[in-house]
Amino acid sequence: MKAVRFHETGGPEVLRYEDADQPVPGAGEVRIQVAGSAYNPADGGIRGGFLPIPVTLPHVPGYDVSGTIDALGDGVDGLTVGENIVGFIPMNADGSAAQYVVAPADALVKAPTRIPLADAAGLPSVGLTASQALFEAGELEAGQRVLINGAGGPVGGYAVQLA
């Protein structure tokens, strides 16, 4: 398969488009044929070596993914081969800037049907960030009011919808 990887930390020039082994799902994991991969600021920090998230080199960036389940590991229930999903891959694992990626089954949900599958890769981390900010950190409850600074950005836009 083809993948974007880096073999050393640094700027964008360390990224390489190259052949890589197709991953095999382990217990509790699925393999996804990637339709879309989102690149977020943390990806740049990991690649640059200044975000303290340990990765094994060479590393495939992209922790947001959308695609179609292509294979199931042992013990996976509730997901099926051929199902379209979106998910947030653990940041220390190889990511979705590849034709295929393996992810924990519990990190995935069914993809929305109202937007193109490739575009759905932009949903997981911004939606999760908005949800965590409002309901975990902010302890927002029904009936409360909230001011959302930056409501025009990706996270803020989701925060408005969730609030």
Side-chain angles (χ1 to χ4, degrees):
M1 72 166 190
K2 291 290 190 180
V4 174
R5 304 192 300 182
F6 58 91
H7 296 254
E8 61 189 342
T9 58
E13 69 279 355
V14 301
L15 294 170
R16 300 182 193 166
Y17 181 66
E18 60 190 13
D19 290 321
D21 292 336
Q22 186 170 332
V24 176
E29 297 178 327
V30 304
R31 183 172 60 214
I32 303 157
Q33 183 176 8
V34 176
S37 174
Y39 198 79
N40 293 289
D43 285 302
I46 294 168
R47 185 206 65 235
F50 52 85
L51 190 61
I53 295 175
V55 296
T56 302
L57 298 176
H59 179 71
V60 178
Y63 51 85
D64 285 336
V65 66
S66 63
T68 305
I69 295 175
D70 151 273
L72 301 173
D74 290 338
V76 174
D77 294 319
L79 297 171
T80 58
V81 171
E83 185 173 9
N84 292 336
I85 55 80
V86 296
F88 185 90
I89 298 168
M91 294 172 79
N92 62 343
D94 272 338
S96 58
Q99 290 177 297
Y100 294 88
V101 66
V102 166
D106 62 3
L108 307 173
V109 296
K110 292 181 182 185
T113 58
R114 301 173 104 187
I115 62 173
L117 184 58
D119 294 345
L123 300 173
S125 65
V126 293
L128 180 61
T129 301
S131 178
Q132 288 173 330
L134 289 172
F135 304 112
E136 292 176 26
E139 299 178 359
L140 185 65
E141 295 179 13
Q144 291 181 312
R145 292 181 183 202
V146 62
L147 170 66
I148 299 172
N149 290 322
V155 174
Y158 280 105
V160 168
Q161 294 176 61
L162 293 171

